[in-house]
Amino acid sequence: QARVAEYNEERFARGQEPVAVGIGVHTGRLMLGTIGETVRMDGTVIADAVNTASRLEGVAKEFGLGVAASECVLADLPDPTLYRMRFIGKVRVKGKTKPVSVFDLYDGDMPQIRDRKDKARADFERGVEAYYERDFDQARERLEAADVILPGDGPTRRYLEDMLTWRGGGRPSEGL
């Protein structure tokens, strides 16, 4: 992601639009196999962990994240405090009955985005916490504060939109 950020700075200098690359990261057991025949062979992996990583890639794209990682990834890190990250929430992914806790690992974001995420992180995470505690007034206040610092942030917008939906007669979801 750091290299993508560098590349985007080069593109910006040439007047080109940035490119986005979203990565989903999950850990678990998998099966590696080779399929095909002598002339044409291909390797593949299959497992629930592979499917979850693929779904997290979709979450990264949907929310505009560089790296969307599951709680399993964080649990396997020797020292998670060495990384810039924020808890995005519990996201329902296809093929899972329970939501997956998702984290935005943003060390590789462009410096100006990374700095704004650092500044907005406390408000964002307090807003998410209030959301899950169903204290929607506090959640909205904190998320709106985060939105001022980091306007257009995908996860922030999603929570705010979800709360607007329930104000119109619906109910807030159990997760994103």
Side-chain angles (χ1 to χ4, degrees):
Q1 287 299 344
R3 181 59 191 119
V4 171
E6 290 172 17
Y7 178 64
N8 280 332
E9 288 177 6
E10 295 167 13
R11 290 180 60 83
F12 179 77
R14 294 191 302 261
Q16 297 174 316
E17 292 291 317
V19 296
V21 176
I23 299 169
V25 183
H26 184 66
T27 62
R29 297 181 59 83
L30 59 85
M31 187 177 297
L32 170 66
T34 305
I35 57 173
E37 53 187 278
T38 308
V39 180
R40 184 170 179 211
M41 297 183 82
D42 195 11
T44 190
V45 290
I46 56 172
D48 182 59
V50 175
N51 294 337
T52 301
S54 176
R55 301 298 185 233
L56 290 173
E57 179 185 1
V59 169
K61 181 179 181 181
E62 182 179 347
F63 293 107
L65 307 176
V67 178
S70 71
E71 72 276 9
C72 295
V73 171
L74 269 62
D76 285 346
L77 292 173
D79 185 359
T81 64
L82 296 176
Y83 302 90
R84 284 181 160 125
M85 69 180 85
R86 61 186 180 149
F87 175 64
I88 295 302
K90 296 176 183 177
V91 179
R92 294 203 177 275
V93 296
K94 184 178 175 184
K96 291 285 196 182
T97 55
K98 294 182 180 178
V100 176
S101 292
V102 178
F103 294 81
D104 173 19
L105 301 180
Y106 61 92
D107 280 295
D109 286 3
M110 293 177 66
Q112 61 274 28
I113 300 295
R114 187 178 57 227
D115 293 344
R116 284 192 277 161
K117 282 185 180 180
D118 283 343
K119 290 175 185 164
R121 180 180 169 190
D123 282 321
F124 176 80
E125 288 186 338
R126 285 186 191 124
V128 170
E129 181 180 359
Y131 177 92
Y132 283 103
E133 291 173 354
R134 304 187 81 67
D135 181 353
F136 300 115
D137 291 333
Q138 178 68 16
R140 187 175 48 260
E141 183 181 320
R142 294 290 99 220
L143 291 166
E144 286 174 348
D147 193 46
V148 168
I149 299 165
L150 186 62
D153 178 53
T156 303
R157 300 303 320 152
R158 180 56 89 64
Y159 280 109
L160 290 170
E161 288 167 7
D162 188 57
M163 286 184 288
L164 279 175
T165 300
W166 75 264
R167 287 268 187 215
R171 288 181 44 98
S173 61
E174 294 296 318
L176 293 179

